[in-house]
Amino acid sequence: MDYNERTEFAIDCFLLAGRIMMESGAETYRVEDTMLRMAHSQGMTSAQSYVTPTGIIFSLGRTQPTRITSIPNRATNLHRISLVNTISRKLTSSIITLEEAYDELKKIEKNNYMLPVFMQIIAAALASGCFLIMFAGVWQDFIPAMVAGGLGYWILLLVTDATKVKFFSEFVAAVAVGLVAALAVELGIGQQLDTIIIGSVMPLVPGVIITIAIRDLIAGHFTSGLARGIEALLTAFAIGSGIALALTIM
């Protein structure tokens, strides 16, 4: 391929790497650093990138092409981030070529490397029970917390897939958690309503988003940090509103 074609191909490769990382929940500064390191390894030392949670702008210089890509969906998938980082290190160390890096990135793009849905639900249920004990709950509430947490996470996945509205699905899942917890206490299966609810909603809490928001703010990426912080705040509001509605109903 000629120079222009290779330049366009290189930008496609760098943007693909950045988009996969942002869709997987990577920090803004990590995405920018990875893209720039990949560009520098190809002799493109004037490259610049501007990354936000919803889009990436990448340029090879003032007189060179500039491209943009959107980030419509975001989730937490640390394995994909690790895979992209590995490809970036191989490229910068000249272990693989740009073409090979692009092919590997396309493979990562096609696979989300997430556990099967039933495994995610089981993990959420076990985590809910363990969080209950961690928050000084009683062992009698372990099973109710597992049921509420697993059911809530399952509803979260179903509603997210049906509506594509993140905050609405979190609200509905929180309502389900609150109803199951309150029903368990009413039937005498559970004892402490507050600890059952706290343990059960933990799989819904945006802990990773809050952590990334703080890291972005510390790194000086105020736009991304504030955006992620507001996202975490809206999620917390959705969870709190759902629990409040469930307790009002019961």
Side-chain angles (χ1 to χ4, degrees):
M1 63 181 70
D2 60 24
Y3 174 77
N4 291 332
E5 291 177 340
R6 183 166 182 78
T7 299
E8 292 292 334
F9 179 78
I11 295 178
D12 286 340
C13 182
F14 306 149
L15 282 176
L16 179 58
R19 180 162 57 81
I20 292 174
M21 295 184 72
M22 285 303 297
E23 289 177 346
S24 303
E27 304 93 325
T28 300
Y29 72 87
R30 185 189 299 274
V31 177
E32 291 185 349
D33 181 68
T34 298
M35 296 174 67
L36 292 178
R37 286 179 182 273
M38 294 175 70
H40 292 169
S41 71
Q42 303 302 305
M44 303 170 181
T45 56
S46 299
Q48 297 182 4
S49 64
Y50 179 72
V51 179
T52 70
T54 56
I56 300 175
I57 301 174
F58 187 83
S59 174
L60 294 181
R62 296 178 60 183
T63 60
Q64 299 296 321
T66 298
R67 297 273 295 280
I68 183 173
T69 186
S70 62
I71 313 294
N73 302 306
R74 294 180 302 279
T76 301
N77 194 326
L78 302 181
H79 184 56
R80 296 180 84 200
I81 298 173
S82 176
L83 290 174
V84 175
N85 281 334
T86 299
I87 293 173
S88 171
R89 294 188 186 99
K90 289 182 179 179
L91 182 64
T92 55
S93 301
S94 301
I95 298 175
I96 60 176
T97 64
L98 186 64
E99 290 77 11
E100 292 173 334
Y102 183 79
D103 290 339
E104 292 190 27
L105 289 171
K106 292 297 288 184
K107 293 178 182 178
I108 297 174
E109 182 186 27
K110 294 178 181 178
N111 298 282
N112 59 16
Y113 300 96
M114 295 290 286
L115 292 173
V117 173
F118 77 93
M119 288 293 293
Q120 296 182 43
I121 296 172
I122 292 175
L126 289 174
S128 299
C130 293
F131 275 118
L132 170 95
I133 300 303
M134 189 179 73
F135 290 125
V138 295
W139 282 101
Q140 182 180 340
D141 294 337
F142 188 83
I143 298 300
M146 286 185 59
V147 173
L151 179 64
Y153 194 81
W154 178 53
I155 291 176
L156 172 71
L157 296 178
L158 288 179
V159 178
T160 300
D161 185 62
T163 64
K164 309 299 181 184
V165 181
K166 178 176 182 290
F167 304 112
F168 178 71
S169 61
E170 292 164 342
F171 172 78
V172 176
V175 172
V177 168
L179 290 176
V180 172
L183 183 61
V185 174
E186 286 288 333
L187 296 176
I189 302 174
Q191 290 186 357
Q192 301 174 350
L193 177 61
D194 53 347
T195 53
I196 295 175
I197 291 177
I198 293 173
S200 302
V201 300
M202 288 306 292
L204 309 178
V205 173
V208 175
I209 298 177
I210 294 173
T211 302
I212 294 175
I214 295 173
R215 294 188 66 177
D216 278 342
L217 288 172
I218 293 175
H221 294 275
F222 299 113
T223 301
S224 298
L226 290 175
R228 292 182 190 270
I230 293 174
E231 180 182 357
L233 181 64
L234 289 175
T235 296
F237 177 76
I239 295 173
S241 300
I243 295 297
L245 177 61
L247 295 181
T248 300
I249 294 175
M250 295 300 293

